[in-house]
Amino acid sequence: MDLTRIRTQADYDDAYRRSVADPEGFWAAQATGFTWKKRWDRVLEHDFKQGRTQWFIGGSLNITENCLDRHLATRGDQVALIWEPNDPQEPAQHITYRELHARVCRYANVLLRNGVRKGDRVCIYMPMIPELAVAVLACARIGAVHSVVFAGFSAQSIADRILDADAAFVLTSDGMARGARKGPVKGLVDEALAGCPGVKRVIVARHTGDPVAMQAGRDVWLHEELAHVDADRPAEAMDSEDLLFILYTSGSTGKPKGVVHTCGGYMVYVDHSFRNVFQYNDGDIFWCTADVGWITGHSYLIYGPLLAGATTLMFEGIPTYPDAGRFWQVVDKHRVNIFYTAPTAIRSLMAHGLAFVEPCSLASLRTIGSVGEPINEEAWHWYKQHIGKGRCPLVDTWWQTETGGILISSLAGVTDEKPSHAAWPLPGVQPVLLTPEGKEIAENDVEGLLAIKFPWPSIIRTTYGDHERCRQTYFSSYPGYYFTGDGARRDADGRYRIIGRVDDVINVSGHRFGTAEIENAINESDFVVESAVVGYPHDIKGQGIYAYVITDRPVTDAEAVRADIVAMVTKVIGPIAKPDKIQFVSGLPKTRSGKIMRRILRKVAEGEMSSLGDTTTLLDPAVVEEIKAGRM
Ligand code: PRX
């Protein structure tokens, strides 16, 4: 049997059994088909107590050689990347593997020419344009560590990430176009760099043509630099465990942390999961709608599809521009076979009605997928029936920035699917449900805390610059396990259904925020003394952001104060973290030891005010009545 490709239920059962009985043998077989500059000496070493994992130890490779060079002989003229612009009147771009290889090599030479060296951290802040994918791959080509920052984050968020990663280089563009709006990009980078004296070079891609300020000695234009280089750039030899990238993500405490992924294990896992979950076939056109600024864009827009030799589609715009049929028009235009998006997008398009779907044929679609948040049953059925036309398997893929690739999902048309259930662990993934005390629950038809008890190749290696934080966050609450932060149900047959976060992380439209992170931003408003943020169910976004705020003076103009708070969050984090509801309160429900009882705030925000539970331990039970009365 071809261990790398699962085509039937029996294959899955067999692969899963082997992957548990002999993980090293299983993953060595998966790794064998790649181009290695030097084969690994040992497959795996791990110590979950310390949160340390290494895969393919002693191996040497370059992921871009596997994404690009490896395909040139067989599919050099096949399209690797289709770029669909924001404006449907503008032409799409079709970039073949040969052209992409050349563009990556040339960009890599520009990086070298500008002083970037192996191991250097490079911050990439760019909209969804081909240069973004090229920049990511160019970093990997020369062994620089990319740290992509989603181009919806604020200047302050960019600065925080540059400083944490100690990045001396920034790759960006002049501006961006999203829907009917144009927005600055380089301008935000400039603002960020006022606080980042360590940045030596900024390379700017021209895209919108908007005027930007160029700082002499620091900023250069990509197109001018490209004129000085050729397309010859051998791929740097990387150790399996050398850093491939850092990607910042929010947790329940402190500032976002830099999740680190390394070269060998990430490549092997992302390739395996891509081909098997989506049942990718040669020649398929794959469209992942996620932004490259998130892990989904890293793993399943760039690396996974290119490793498989697929044609991957990158879309610059938004689902509702020029109208709410854009996704479906793009599917028809480019004859997309596999479509992968987030429940939020489905729910928002559902709300626009079928009139936008019906004019499109969608006949090219074979598989549809969901990622990033729980997909409610109504959205699941709508997606399955109206987009998948009842015939496309729907894969609900559960994973995290930290897991690097999909861990729980049905395999399209191979293992069964059930609405709102991610369903089955991928081979090599050993999920367990734990009690709050950390005991494994053996039975089915139960609910518990989701943890994984054995490493898979793309598991988080560390949090950049602070391994202790990684150990504490993921490996210390339940010793011997990787703890996900999610709660889950296992049905009577063993399928998993992800319920959501059990920590102080909220998931808004598939974007992750720590409540503390948003509170810190709100507290920077001049009006605010203290705040507490919780998530509440939101019809479109999955979760909305509900903020309880104590002000330093009586609120006379509530809308002005709210606007100030929203502006502050936009400035500190970005518009994606704006609170949906802001309630002014005179106090927060605190215990005698000063701890905020978020359970109560969550219940009120959810509107479940009759079941607040025990409030007798509160310092001042009267605030609860006030909060209930003022609920938004
Ligand atoms: O709560 C889970 C939710 O998103 C979290 C991970 O967020 P992030 O690191 O930003 O990665 C998102 C894209 C992989 C998880 O802890 N989540 C992700 N996928 C699903 C999900 N919740 C339910 N069902 C999913 N399919």
PDB file of all heavy atoms in Angstrom, residues 304-324:
ATOM      1  N   GLY A 304       1.351  23.755   1.599  1.00  0.00           N
ATOM      2  CA  GLY A 304       0.722  22.459   1.307  1.00  0.00           C
ATOM      3  C   GLY A 304       0.464  22.264  -0.180  1.00  0.00           C
ATOM      4  O   GLY A 304       0.932  21.277  -0.785  1.00  0.00           O
ATOM      5  N   PRO A 305      -0.262  23.201  -0.817  1.00  0.00           N
ATOM      6  CA  PRO A 305      -0.542  23.028  -2.242  1.00  0.00           C
ATOM      7  C   PRO A 305       0.729  22.975  -3.098  1.00  0.00           C
ATOM      8  O   PRO A 305       0.819  22.157  -4.020  1.00  0.00           O
ATOM      9  CB  PRO A 305      -1.386  24.267  -2.591  1.00  0.00           C
ATOM     10  CG  PRO A 305      -1.991  24.697  -1.291  1.00  0.00           C
ATOM     11  CD  PRO A 305      -1.007  24.327  -0.230  1.00  0.00           C
ATOM     12  N   LEU A 306       1.711  23.816  -2.800  1.00  0.00           N
ATOM     13  CA  LEU A 306       2.910  23.816  -3.642  1.00  0.00           C
ATOM     14  C   LEU A 306       3.717  22.540  -3.436  1.00  0.00           C
ATOM     15  O   LEU A 306       4.293  21.998  -4.388  1.00  0.00           O
ATOM     16  CB  LEU A 306       3.764  25.061  -3.387  1.00  0.00           C
ATOM     17  CG  LEU A 306       3.096  26.404  -3.758  1.00  0.00           C
ATOM     18  CD1 LEU A 306       4.036  27.567  -3.450  1.00  0.00           C
ATOM     19  CD2 LEU A 306       2.673  26.451  -5.229  1.00  0.00           C
ATOM     20  N   LEU A 307       3.760  22.032  -2.220  1.00  0.00           N
ATOM     21  CA  LEU A 307       4.459  20.761  -2.000  1.00  0.00           C
ATOM     22  C   LEU A 307       3.817  19.664  -2.846  1.00  0.00           C
ATOM     23  O   LEU A 307       4.499  18.800  -3.399  1.00  0.00           O
ATOM     24  CB  LEU A 307       4.423  20.377  -0.511  1.00  0.00           C
ATOM     25  CG  LEU A 307       5.363  21.201   0.385  1.00  0.00           C
ATOM     26  CD1 LEU A 307       5.011  21.018   1.857  1.00  0.00           C
ATOM     27  CD2 LEU A 307       6.826  20.825   0.126  1.00  0.00           C
ATOM     28  N   ALA A 308       2.481  19.718  -2.960  1.00  0.00           N
ATOM     29  CA  ALA A 308       1.762  18.686  -3.708  1.00  0.00           C
ATOM     30  C   ALA A 308       1.816  18.926  -5.218  1.00  0.00           C
ATOM     31  O   ALA A 308       1.344  18.090  -5.986  1.00  0.00           O
ATOM     32  CB  ALA A 308       0.313  18.633  -3.232  1.00  0.00           C
ATOM     33  N   GLY A 309       2.331  20.069  -5.643  1.00  0.00           N
ATOM     34  CA  GLY A 309       2.347  20.385  -7.078  1.00  0.00           C
ATOM     35  C   GLY A 309       0.997  20.845  -7.582  1.00  0.00           C
ATOM     36  O   GLY A 309       0.667  20.699  -8.758  1.00  0.00           O
ATOM     37  N   ALA A 310       0.194  21.406  -6.695  1.00  0.00           N
ATOM     38  CA  ALA A 310      -1.157  21.845  -7.059  1.00  0.00           C
ATOM     39  C   ALA A 310      -1.127  23.238  -7.673  1.00  0.00           C
ATOM     40  O   ALA A 310      -0.102  23.921  -7.672  1.00  0.00           O
ATOM     41  CB  ALA A 310      -2.037  21.855  -5.810  1.00  0.00           C
ATOM     42  N   THR A 311      -2.293  23.665  -8.166  1.00  0.00           N
ATOM     43  CA  THR A 311      -2.494  25.054  -8.557  1.00  0.00           C
ATOM     44  C   THR A 311      -3.250  25.710  -7.409  1.00  0.00           C
ATOM     45  O   THR A 311      -4.364  25.304  -7.090  1.00  0.00           O
ATOM     46  CB  THR A 311      -3.314  25.140  -9.853  1.00  0.00           C
ATOM     47  OG1 THR A 311      -2.577  24.496 -10.891  1.00  0.00           O
ATOM     48  CG2 THR A 311      -3.586  26.595 -10.223  1.00  0.00           C
ATOM     49  N   THR A 312      -2.640  26.696  -6.782  1.00  0.00           N
ATOM     50  CA  THR A 312      -3.264  27.326  -5.625  1.00  0.00           C
ATOM     51  C   THR A 312      -3.749  28.716  -6.025  1.00  0.00           C
ATOM     52  O   THR A 312      -3.096  29.415  -6.793  1.00  0.00           O
ATOM     53  CB  THR A 312      -2.284  27.365  -4.426  1.00  0.00           C
ATOM     54  OG1 THR A 312      -2.961  27.869  -3.271  1.00  0.00           O
ATOM     55  CG2 THR A 312      -1.064  28.221  -4.690  1.00  0.00           C
ATOM     56  N   LEU A 313      -4.921  29.081  -5.505  1.00  0.00           N
ATOM     57  CA  LEU A 313      -5.513  30.361  -5.880  1.00  0.00           C
ATOM     58  C   LEU A 313      -5.408  31.334  -4.706  1.00  0.00           C
ATOM     59  O   LEU A 313      -5.685  30.971  -3.568  1.00  0.00           O
ATOM     60  CB  LEU A 313      -6.982  30.145  -6.254  1.00  0.00           C
ATOM     61  CG  LEU A 313      -7.687  31.319  -6.938  1.00  0.00           C
ATOM     62  CD1 LEU A 313      -8.789  30.790  -7.861  1.00  0.00           C
ATOM     63  CD2 LEU A 313      -8.304  32.316  -5.986  1.00  0.00           C
ATOM     64  N   MET A 314      -4.979  32.538  -5.025  1.00  0.00           N
ATOM     65  CA  MET A 314      -4.857  33.579  -4.004  1.00  0.00           C
ATOM     66  C   MET A 314      -5.785  34.719  -4.398  1.00  0.00           C
ATOM     67  O   MET A 314      -5.731  35.200  -5.534  1.00  0.00           O
ATOM     68  CB  MET A 314      -3.410  34.061  -3.993  1.00  0.00           C
ATOM     69  CG  MET A 314      -3.096  35.128  -2.999  1.00  0.00           C
ATOM     70  SD  MET A 314      -1.367  35.626  -3.283  1.00  0.00           S
ATOM     71  CE  MET A 314      -0.829  35.884  -1.638  1.00  0.00           C
ATOM     72  N   PHE A 315      -6.630  35.142  -3.467  1.00  0.00           N
ATOM     73  CA  PHE A 315      -7.639  36.167  -3.761  1.00  0.00           C
ATOM     74  C   PHE A 315      -7.352  37.406  -2.928  1.00  0.00           C
ATOM     75  O   PHE A 315      -7.244  37.344  -1.712  1.00  0.00           O
ATOM     76  CB  PHE A 315      -9.023  35.596  -3.451  1.00  0.00           C
ATOM     77  CG  PHE A 315     -10.150  36.594  -3.569  1.00  0.00           C
ATOM     78  CD1 PHE A 315     -10.230  37.467  -4.652  1.00  0.00           C
ATOM     79  CD2 PHE A 315     -11.144  36.643  -2.599  1.00  0.00           C
ATOM     80  CE1 PHE A 315     -11.281  38.380  -4.756  1.00  0.00           C
ATOM     81  CE2 PHE A 315     -12.199  37.546  -2.700  1.00  0.00           C
ATOM     82  CZ  PHE A 315     -12.265  38.415  -3.774  1.00  0.00           C
ATOM     83  N   GLU A 316      -7.265  38.529  -3.619  1.00  0.00           N
ATOM     84  CA  GLU A 316      -6.909  39.769  -2.934  1.00  0.00           C
ATOM     85  C   GLU A 316      -8.092  40.375  -2.180  1.00  0.00           C
ATOM     86  O   GLU A 316      -7.904  41.085  -1.194  1.00  0.00           O
ATOM     87  CB  GLU A 316      -6.427  40.788  -3.990  1.00  0.00           C
ATOM     88  CG  GLU A 316      -5.966  42.104  -3.403  1.00  0.00           C
ATOM     89  CD  GLU A 316      -5.638  43.149  -4.470  1.00  0.00           C
ATOM     90  OE1 GLU A 316      -6.096  43.004  -5.624  1.00  0.00           O
ATOM     91  OE2 GLU A 316      -4.923  44.103  -4.139  1.00  0.00           O
ATOM     92  N   GLY A 317      -9.301  40.112  -2.628  1.00  0.00           N
ATOM     93  CA  GLY A 317     -10.445  40.904  -2.159  1.00  0.00           C
ATOM     94  C   GLY A 317     -11.217  40.322  -0.999  1.00  0.00           C
ATOM     95  O   GLY A 317     -10.681  39.581  -0.181  1.00  0.00           O
ATOM     96  N   ILE A 318     -12.474  40.693  -0.949  1.00  0.00           N
ATOM     97  CA  ILE A 318     -13.359  40.263   0.138  1.00  0.00           C
ATOM     98  C   ILE A 318     -14.590  39.577  -0.473  1.00  0.00           C
ATOM     99  O   ILE A 318     -14.919  39.798  -1.637  1.00  0.00           O
ATOM    100  CB  ILE A 318     -13.787  41.465   1.018  1.00  0.00           C
ATOM    101  CG1 ILE A 318     -14.486  42.553   0.181  1.00  0.00           C
ATOM    102  CG2 ILE A 318     -12.590  42.054   1.737  1.00  0.00           C
ATOM    103  CD1 ILE A 318     -15.101  43.670   0.996  1.00  0.00           C
ATOM    104  N   PRO A 319     -15.294  38.758   0.323  1.00  0.00           N
ATOM    105  CA  PRO A 319     -16.382  37.947  -0.241  1.00  0.00           C
ATOM    106  C   PRO A 319     -17.563  38.761  -0.753  1.00  0.00           C
ATOM    107  O   PRO A 319     -18.374  38.252  -1.518  1.00  0.00           O
ATOM    108  CB  PRO A 319     -16.835  37.070   0.935  1.00  0.00           C
ATOM    109  CG  PRO A 319     -15.880  37.286   2.034  1.00  0.00           C
ATOM    110  CD  PRO A 319     -14.989  38.429   1.714  1.00  0.00           C
ATOM    111  N   THR A 320     -17.681  40.008  -0.344  1.00  0.00           N
ATOM    112  CA  THR A 320     -18.876  40.786  -0.676  1.00  0.00           C
ATOM    113  C   THR A 320     -18.610  41.919  -1.674  1.00  0.00           C
ATOM    114  O   THR A 320     -19.399  42.848  -1.786  1.00  0.00           O
ATOM    115  CB  THR A 320     -19.471  41.395   0.607  1.00  0.00           C
ATOM    116  OG1 THR A 320     -18.411  42.021   1.331  1.00  0.00           O
ATOM    117  CG2 THR A 320     -20.122  40.337   1.470  1.00  0.00           C
ATOM    118  N   TYR A 321     -17.496  41.852  -2.371  1.00  0.00           N
ATOM    119  CA  TYR A 321     -17.208  42.910  -3.344  1.00  0.00           C
ATOM    120  C   TYR A 321     -16.936  42.321  -4.717  1.00  0.00           C
ATOM    121  O   TYR A 321     -16.110  41.408  -4.802  1.00  0.00           O
ATOM    122  CB  TYR A 321     -15.994  43.726  -2.898  1.00  0.00           C
ATOM    123  CG  TYR A 321     -15.624  44.828  -3.867  1.00  0.00           C
ATOM    124  CD1 TYR A 321     -16.318  46.025  -3.873  1.00  0.00           C
ATOM    125  CD2 TYR A 321     -14.594  44.633  -4.790  1.00  0.00           C
ATOM    126  CE1 TYR A 321     -15.984  47.023  -4.778  1.00  0.00           C
ATOM    127  CE2 TYR A 321     -14.258  45.634  -5.690  1.00  0.00           C
ATOM    128  CZ  TYR A 321     -14.956  46.824  -5.680  1.00  0.00           C
ATOM    129  OH  TYR A 321     -14.628  47.813  -6.571  1.00  0.00           O
ATOM    130  N   PRO A 322     -17.494  42.831  -5.796  1.00  0.00           N
ATOM    131  CA  PRO A 322     -18.514  43.897  -5.845  1.00  0.00           C
ATOM    132  C   PRO A 322     -19.859  43.486  -5.249  1.00  0.00           C
ATOM    133  O   PRO A 322     -20.642  44.360  -4.918  1.00  0.00           O
ATOM    134  CB  PRO A 322     -18.680  44.181  -7.341  1.00  0.00           C
ATOM    135  CG  PRO A 322     -17.611  43.427  -8.039  1.00  0.00           C
ATOM    136  CD  PRO A 322     -17.096  42.376  -7.132  1.00  0.00           C
ATOM    137  N   ASP A 323     -20.114  42.161  -5.140  1.00  0.00           N
ATOM    138  CA  ASP A 323     -21.362  41.767  -4.497  1.00  0.00           C
ATOM    139  C   ASP A 323     -21.142  40.441  -3.766  1.00  0.00           C
ATOM    140  O   ASP A 323     -20.059  39.859  -3.829  1.00  0.00           O
ATOM    141  CB  ASP A 323     -22.512  41.668  -5.512  1.00  0.00           C
ATOM    142  CG  ASP A 323     -22.249  40.614  -6.575  1.00  0.00           C
ATOM    143  OD1 ASP A 323     -21.851  39.486  -6.215  1.00  0.00           O
ATOM    144  OD2 ASP A 323     -22.427  40.916  -7.772  1.00  0.00           O
ATOM    145  N   ALA A 324     -22.166  39.983  -3.086  1.00  0.00           N
ATOM    146  CA  ALA A 324     -22.016  38.808  -2.220  1.00  0.00           C
ATOM    147  C   ALA A 324     -21.928  37.500  -2.998  1.00  0.00           C
ATOM    148  O   ALA A 324     -21.952  36.419  -2.407  1.00  0.00           O
ATOM    149  CB  ALA A 324     -23.166  38.766  -1.216  1.00  0.00           C
TER     150      ALA A 324
END
